[in-house]
Amino acid sequence: MSTGTQTILSCRVEQHGDATVVRVAGEIDRWTEDDFAQAVDESMRGRPTRLTVDLRDVTFMGTSGLRVLVEAQHETQRMRIVLGVVPGRGVARRSLEITGLDQMLRVFPTVAEALARA
Amino acid sequence: MLDDTEAEVSRSTAALHAWAEQLPEPVCEAVMSADAASPVLFRAVPAVRHELSPLRAAVTEWAQGFGFDRDTLADLVLAVDEAVTNAIEHGYRNQPAGIVRFFAGHSPVEKAVNVVVADSGSWRPPPSEPGVRGRGLSIIRAVTDRFDLHHGEHGTVALLSWKLPGEGAGGPAG
Ligand SMILES: Nc1ncnc2c1ncn2[C@@H]1O[C@H](COP(=O)(O)OP(=O)(O)O)[C@@H](O)[C@H]1O
Ligand SMILES: [Mg+2]
């Protein structure tokens, strides 16, 4: 029996020129939070000009995931990286709306738009 | 086979009622009013983080069939996850082998579904400067029709309720 976090969450970091995209799929909860945070931290390390977090394939996101996004917002501001979030139309959008974080983060409908306008 | 199932159901109903009687009065009432003919979840969940995902899956499945729309279903799973997460990470912060008692049922009297999350841990006074924390309880409050939080010497009990669709607080429609 496997209880590895990778069974419910996957994070892939992609390079697009001087921009970085973190593609997240699965469930972000109190168990997988650290993996998500680690992927986001890693993606900042190369000091990209833009960092986009793609949450369209996220099937659950509680306050653990929201907390990682808020911390990323602080950290990217400090490092002068422009952070963009692509919540999609599912549960990630809902979690951001309920907490009002959709007003605090730069939210884009697609990754392409985040990369073009961020 | 049928007899076994019926015996099993009545045994678990007895266990449910025995548990409910130890709960704060209003929460006990909500549990006791559960309709035995509707699906009920009653579980002892080990207080470890990797139990959250399977519990969410069970709640998602249980919540089908009451007629909730997609957003309300998502809210329900989100709020339940926050309550159970709190029990694990706060209630049992000093206890490695805690058990979270979980109940979800439909109350025909209240025309609502009720979820109870109970830990036998200890309440932690919220920090005065929560920083990036402190969103869980406010999410639960925002998305439920009723949220009772009881904490005392024997741990914390949360009751989360959602009115069934078409049973708004303004009374019966039509
Ligand atoms: N089941 C519980 N047992 C003990 N303390 C709790 C429990 N639930 C909530 N708390 C307290 O309430 C605070 C606020 O909870 P919440 O809004 O979920 O924020 P967070 O979990 O991010 O701290 C917690 O930090 C903790 O102090
Ligand atoms: Mg919490």
Side-chain angles (χ1 to χ4, degrees):
Chain A
M1 193 183 73
S2 163
T3 51
T5 53
Q6 68 276 6
T7 57
I8 66 165
L9 180 74
S10 100
C11 300
R12 221 172 59 229
V13 180
E14 289 172 6
Q15 224 44 62
H16 294 252
D18 59 0
T20 300
V21 178
V22 186
R23 297 205 190 258
V24 191
E27 305 169 49
I28 312 173
D29 67 3
R30 193 64 186 88
W31 188 41
T32 61
E33 174 182 351
D34 293 350
D35 288 357
F36 178 42
Q38 207 177 335
V40 171
D41 283 351
E42 213 172 278
S43 67
M44 285 181 222
R45 215 168 291 152
R47 297 206 167 237
T49 55
R50 288 162 290 170
L51 170 58
T52 302
V53 183
D54 178 4
L55 301 172
R56 287 171 302 167
D57 291 332
V58 165
T59 54
F60 179 79
M61 182 168 75
T63 55
S64 304
L66 297 171
R67 196 156 58 222
V68 173
L69 292 175
V70 171
E71 278 166 352
Q73 172 84 336
H74 295 156
E75 194 59 16
T76 49
Q77 271 167 359
R78 206 179 59 77
M79 294 173 76
R80 298 180 189 284
I81 298 169
V82 180
L83 177 70
V85 176
V86 182
R89 302 168 64 81
V91 296
R93 173 195 57 89
R94 185 77 182 158
S95 297
L96 289 168
E97 280 177 2
I98 289 168
T99 50
L101 288 182
D102 58 331
Q103 302 300 311
M104 185 202 139
L105 298 161
R106 290 162 148 257
V107 171
F108 297 93
T110 64
V111 172
E113 279 167 89
L115 291 177
R117 290 203 273 125
Chain B
M1 277 304 273
L2 189 65
D3 285 350
D4 281 358
T5 313
E6 279 177 0
E8 171 117 18
V9 166
S10 66
R11 248 198 317 279
S12 62
T13 304
L16 178 64
H17 288 184
W19 171 70
E21 268 155 20
Q22 303 164 18
L23 297 173
E25 180 69 37
V27 183
C28 174
E29 244 169 64
V31 173
M32 292 294 200
S33 73
D35 175 10
S38 295
V40 165
L41 283 181
F42 181 45
R43 294 195 172 185
V45 183
V48 287
R49 294 170 189 186
H50 67 254
E51 292 287 343
L52 289 164
S53 177
L55 183 63
R56 287 194 301 269
V59 171
T60 303
E61 198 188 314
W62 164 83
Q64 308 296 320
F66 295 116
F68 290 120
D69 62 29
R70 206 181 65 136
D71 277 350
T72 308
L73 284 172
D75 290 352
L76 191 150
V77 174
L78 178 64
V80 167
D81 176 84
E82 294 297 337
V84 180
T85 300
N86 280 349
I88 296 172
E89 78 168 332
H90 301 306
Y92 288 124
R93 65 194 175 282
N94 300 324
Q95 278 159 263
I99 292 290
V100 181
R101 291 275 164 191
F102 184 87
F103 162 85
H106 162 226
S107 164
V109 200
E110 297 171 4
K111 298 188 172 66
V113 296
N114 293 313
V115 173
V116 178
V117 177
D119 67 63
S120 320
S122 53
W123 179 254
R124 162 147 72 184
S128 51
E129 294 285 335
V132 294
R133 286 195 151 269
R135 288 197 173 87
L137 295 181
S138 49
I139 286 182
I140 300 174
R141 217 165 278 125
V143 305
T144 47
D145 291 314
R146 175 180 172 193
F147 174 40
D148 295 358
L149 188 64
H150 302 262
H151 50 84
E153 264 168 67
H154 304 291
T156 300
V157 178
L159 169 67
L160 290 61
S161 302
W162 284 264
K163 289 283 179 197
L164 291 177
E167 305 290 346

